[in-house]
């Protein structure tokens, strides 16, 4: 029986379905979840800044070993979509190296990431504080883990997981697939940035706008460097600073909001 579609159309259809499924299993689903959470916060009595959004919390309070098992399980399973993306890229004969996520330039990637993190970190914190003060953001609680020996290692692992998941999928993989599907560079930039903002919407309007702007910057840097590695490094340093910094400073300084 003759094929009903040209080969190019079949390929595009497969790539489109693949992209939708990857997002539905990962950050696309997180975007929908964040929207529902935001609607719940908006319709709850009281202002947004009087509500809290907790990022890293205990799964089994009072049972540290069980809690640790759940923490590690959550981090590992969150990276499954990255493994799926790697599989798809290998299948097309490219692999993760095609988006610049490899060990070929660890020093340069780390230095570039540190510079980006230093530039974005202070501006991002200032924007969050301003958005919360204006009533556009919930109080973000980066961590509420118990004071056990594995607290800081888990926070660092969580930061690494976030950075790999987001930058590999939302920047490297998504931009590659949208380009293959014929999207213009501008449209792909908007899609990537809005997606990044969407799954931070649970934090409030400030979280959405701030991360969308960060998404624009990251897409432009990716196109300049052709590597996801520096973005993963920058994101990891930003999240480590937020998670560990909050754990060390919450309740000890006046300028850092707490619930």
């Amino acid at each position: 029986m003759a094929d009903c579609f040209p080969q190019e159309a079949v390929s595009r259809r497969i790539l489109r379905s693949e992209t939708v499924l990857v997002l539905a299993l990962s950050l696309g689903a997180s975007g929908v979840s964040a929207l529902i959470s935001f609607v719940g916060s908006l319709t709850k009595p009281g202002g947004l800044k009087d509500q809290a959004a907790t990022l890293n919390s205990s799964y089994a309070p009072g049972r540290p070993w069980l809690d640790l098992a759940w923490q590690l399980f959550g981090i590992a399973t969150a990276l499954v979509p990255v493994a799926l993306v790697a599989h798809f890229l290998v299948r097309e004969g490219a692999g993760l190296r095609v988006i610049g996520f490899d060990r070929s330039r660890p020093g340069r990637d780390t230095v570039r990431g540190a510079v980006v993190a230093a530039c974005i970190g202070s501006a991002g914190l200032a924007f969050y504080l301003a958005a919360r003060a204006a009533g556009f953001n919930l109080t973000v609680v980066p961590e509420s883990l118990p004071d056990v020996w594995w607290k800081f290692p888990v926070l660092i692992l969580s930061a690494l997981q976030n950075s790999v998941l987001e930058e590999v999928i939302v920047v490297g993989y998504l931009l590659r697939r949208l380009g293959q599907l014929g999207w213009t560079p501008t449209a792909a930039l908007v899609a990537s940035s809005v997606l990044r903002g969407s799954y931070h919407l649970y934090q409030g309007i400030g979280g959405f706008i701030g991360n969308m702007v960060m998404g624009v910057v990251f897409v432009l840097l990716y196109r300049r460097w052709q590597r996801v590695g520096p973005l993963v490094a920058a994101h990891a340093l930003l999240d480590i600073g937020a998670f560990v910094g909050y754990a060390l400073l919450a309740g000890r300084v006046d300028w850092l909001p707490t619930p």
Side-chain angles (χ1 to χ4, degrees):
M1 181 176 179
D3 195 343
C4 297
F5 301 94
Q7 185 60 41
E8 182 180 354
V10 173
S11 297
R12 287 199 172 195
R13 184 181 63 185
I14 291 173
L15 290 179
R16 189 179 298 111
S17 298
E18 173 196 300
T19 304
V20 170
L21 288 172
V22 167
L23 294 179
L25 289 171
S26 58
L27 296 167
S30 297
V32 175
S33 174
L35 175 60
I36 296 172
S37 177
F38 179 61
V39 171
S41 297
L42 279 180
T43 55
K44 186 177 181 179
L48 290 179
K49 69 178 181 180
D50 297 322
Q51 303 175 49
T54 304
L55 277 61
N56 296 282
S57 58
S58 175
Y59 290 115
R63 305 182 68 183
W65 285 104
L66 181 62
D67 199 351
L68 175 59
W70 278 118
Q71 297 290 341
L72 296 178
F73 174 78
I75 290 169
T77 53
L79 289 173
V80 171
V82 176
L84 184 61
V85 163
H87 167 76
F88 287 139
L89 293 177
V90 168
R91 189 184 62 182
E92 68 177 78
L96 289 174
R97 69 182 182 279
V98 77
I99 61 173
F101 189 56
D102 54 28
R103 294 178 292 178
S104 63
R105 304 176 187 174
R108 181 180 296 182
D109 287 350
T110 302
V111 171
R112 284 176 169 175
V115 172
V116 173
C119 294
I120 290 180
S122 56
L125 178 59
F127 182 78
Y128 159 67
L129 294 175
R132 181 184 177 277
F136 296 138
N137 223 78
L138 285 75
T139 299
V140 178
V141 181
E143 71 84 24
S144 62
L145 295 176
D147 291 323
V148 291
W149 65 268
W150 49 258
K151 175 176 181 173
F152 290 106
V154 162
L155 290 175
I156 293 172
L157 287 175
S158 177
L160 293 173
Q161 172 253 298
N162 288 341
S163 61
V164 171
L165 175 67
E166 294 186 35
E167 305 316 324
V168 167
I169 291 181
V170 178
V171 179
Y173 172 76
L174 184 60
L175 291 182
R176 180 173 177 82
R177 285 294 183 258
L178 294 182
Q180 292 170 327
L181 291 170
W183 287 47
T184 66
T186 300
L189 180 148
V190 171
S192 175
S193 303
V194 170
L195 174 59
R196 187 187 295 268
S198 72
Y199 57 78
H200 288 94
L201 190 56
Y202 68 92
Q203 300 176 8
I205 298 295
F208 173 77
I209 295 176
N211 281 280
M212 188 169 62
V213 172
M214 176 178 162
V216 172
V217 173
F218 273 29
V219 168
L220 295 177
L221 290 175
Y222 173 71
R223 287 177 174 166
R224 179 180 179 85
W225 294 330
Q226 295 295 302
R227 291 189 60 77
V228 161
L231 307 182
V232 171
H235 194 148
L237 290 171
L238 287 169
D239 278 8
I240 289 171
F243 299 168
V244 175
Y246 186 89
L248 295 174
L249 298 177
R252 296 180 175 86
V253 295
D254 295 334
W255 54 266
L256 185 61
T258 56

